[in-house]
């Protein structure tokens, strides 16, 4: 399943499928990007980050892709599990150290 | 062990009151932050403190004032509470390297403020 971030804030996928959550950013000077996961009733939790000198970074079951040309960031979750259900935020920061969060995408995993 | 803790977890109060939310981090980080999350889950940074200096101050009402007695604590004081202040407030901390926020921020569990 795939979302377009700000335009489709809800993404529903079947357990075991791969998920893609998208994020568009506007500040071309941003050079550090983070994906956070926020479960219900909890604070955001760091998932993975990427610097602007990279276009891909992999973690455990997660991959972040950065396309600076179109100012687009995506989070791919492999073999999505029920525990992945949460709201996912992208965040960007630039030289003025002002970290800005995207609107968030709610991921729902169906068993 | 709790890395970033906030108290209280829930706060219900009347308009016009003054209240405080406390935040403590035991990570040894040198920078702490306050965020406001509205009902649509939008997160907006309010303040950050680095070594007791305010380094980011978004355009928030001056009714909000951060106070940092030491680098492990950043409390948020709110005067003359208004209905629009109702939100979830998150504290966070990070270790800032070379003057840049390259490192992840660790968030507290949040304080849900309801103004009646």
């Amino acid at each position: 399943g795939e979302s377009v971030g700000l335009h489709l804030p809800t993404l529903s996928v079947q357990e075991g499928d791969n998920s893609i959550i998208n994020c568009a950013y506007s500040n071309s000077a941003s050079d550090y990007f983070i994906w956070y996961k926020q479960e219900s009733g909890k604070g955001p939790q760091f998932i993975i980050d990427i610097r602007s000198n990279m276009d891909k970074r992999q973690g455990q079951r997660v991959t972040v892709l950065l396309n600076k040309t179109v100012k687009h960031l995506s989070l791919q979750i492999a073999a999505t599990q029920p525990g992945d259900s949460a709201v996912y935020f992208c965040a960007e920061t630039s030289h003025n150290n002002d970290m800005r969060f995207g609107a968030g995408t709610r991921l729902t995993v169906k068993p | 062990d709790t890395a970033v803790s906030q108290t209280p977890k829930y706060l219900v109060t009347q308009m016009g009151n003054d209240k405080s939310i406390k935040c403590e981090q035991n990570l040894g980080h040198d920078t702490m932050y306050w965020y406001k999350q509205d009902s649509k889950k939008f997160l907006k940074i309010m303040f950050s403190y680095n070594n007791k200096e305010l380094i980011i101050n978004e355009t928030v009402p001056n009714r909000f004032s951060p106070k940092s007695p030491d680098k492990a604590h950043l409390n948020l004081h709110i005067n003359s509470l208004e209905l629009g202040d109702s939100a979830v407030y998150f504290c966070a901390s990070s270790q800032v390297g070379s003057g840049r926020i390259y490192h992840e921020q660790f968030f507290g569990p949040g304080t849900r403020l309801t103004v009646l």
Side-chain angles (χ1 to χ4, degrees):
Chain A
E2 182 172 345
S3 83
V4 290
L6 297 178
H7 301 289
L8 289 175
T10 301
L11 174 66
S12 184
V13 300
Q14 204 70 36
E15 182 178 358
D17 287 350
N18 296 333
S19 302
I20 300 175
I21 300 171
N22 296 299
C23 180
Y25 64 95
S26 56
N27 188 351
S28 57
S30 293
D31 58 3
Y32 181 56
F33 305 87
I34 305 175
W35 279 101
Y36 283 92
K37 172 186 180 183
Q38 186 179 18
E39 296 176 277
S40 180
K42 297 183 180 179
Q45 180 183 12
F46 173 92
I47 300 175
I48 192 168
D49 60 357
I50 189 168
R51 298 188 186 183
S52 59
N53 60 351
M54 303 170 68
D55 54 20
K56 181 179 180 179
R57 192 166 186 216
Q58 287 185 291
Q60 186 177 13
R61 285 201 305 119
V62 294
T63 301
V64 56
L65 299 177
L66 175 63
N67 185 331
K68 294 180 289 295
T69 302
V70 295
K71 297 199 283 290
H72 184 269
L73 193 67
S74 69
L75 176 70
Q76 300 178 2
I77 305 174
T80 313
Q81 303 169 358
D84 295 327
S85 294
V87 176
Y88 289 81
F89 294 95
C90 65
E92 56 173 311
T93 186
S94 58
H95 65 280
N96 65 2
N97 295 332
D98 184 8
M99 180 165 284
R100 298 185 183 277
F101 283 78
T105 297
R106 183 180 298 279
L107 174 66
T108 301
V109 182
K110 296 176 289 186
Chain B
D1 288 341
T2 302
V4 182
S5 59
Q6 295 178 228
T7 55
K9 187 169 177 61
Y10 300 97
L11 181 56
V12 181
T13 189
Q14 299 287 333
M15 279 177 56
N17 284 350
D18 303 335
K19 291 293 179 183
S20 295
I21 306 172
K22 295 184 177 181
C23 178
E24 177 181 3
Q25 56 95 4
N26 62 6
L27 298 167
H29 288 163
D30 62 3
T31 305
M32 296 182 70
Y33 312 82
W34 277 106
Y35 287 85
K36 179 180 180 180
Q37 187 173 49
D38 62 24
S39 59
K40 297 181 180 179
K41 295 291 187 180
F42 185 72
L43 265 170
K44 182 177 180 181
I45 190 167
M46 301 175 71
F47 302 103
S48 73
Y49 257 79
N50 185 323
N51 293 325
K52 297 189 178 183
E53 289 186 74
L54 182 66
I55 59 174
I56 301 176
N57 186 355
E58 291 290 311
T59 54
V60 298
N62 57 14
R63 299 181 294 103
F64 291 79
S65 57
K67 286 184 171 54
S68 181
D70 54 64
K71 75 172 190 176
H73 296 83
L74 183 66
N75 302 324
L76 182 65
H77 298 274
I78 316 170
N79 295 324
S80 302
L81 278 156
E82 300 177 358
L83 292 176
D85 296 333
S86 295
V88 181
Y89 292 83
F90 287 99
C91 176
S93 72
S94 70
Q95 183 62 33
V96 178
S98 303
R100 295 296 317 278
I101 306 175
Y102 278 137
H103 298 84
E104 63 180 286
Q105 294 181 14
F106 292 80
F107 283 78
T111 296
R112 181 174 293 278
L113 171 65
T114 302
V115 182
L116 304 175

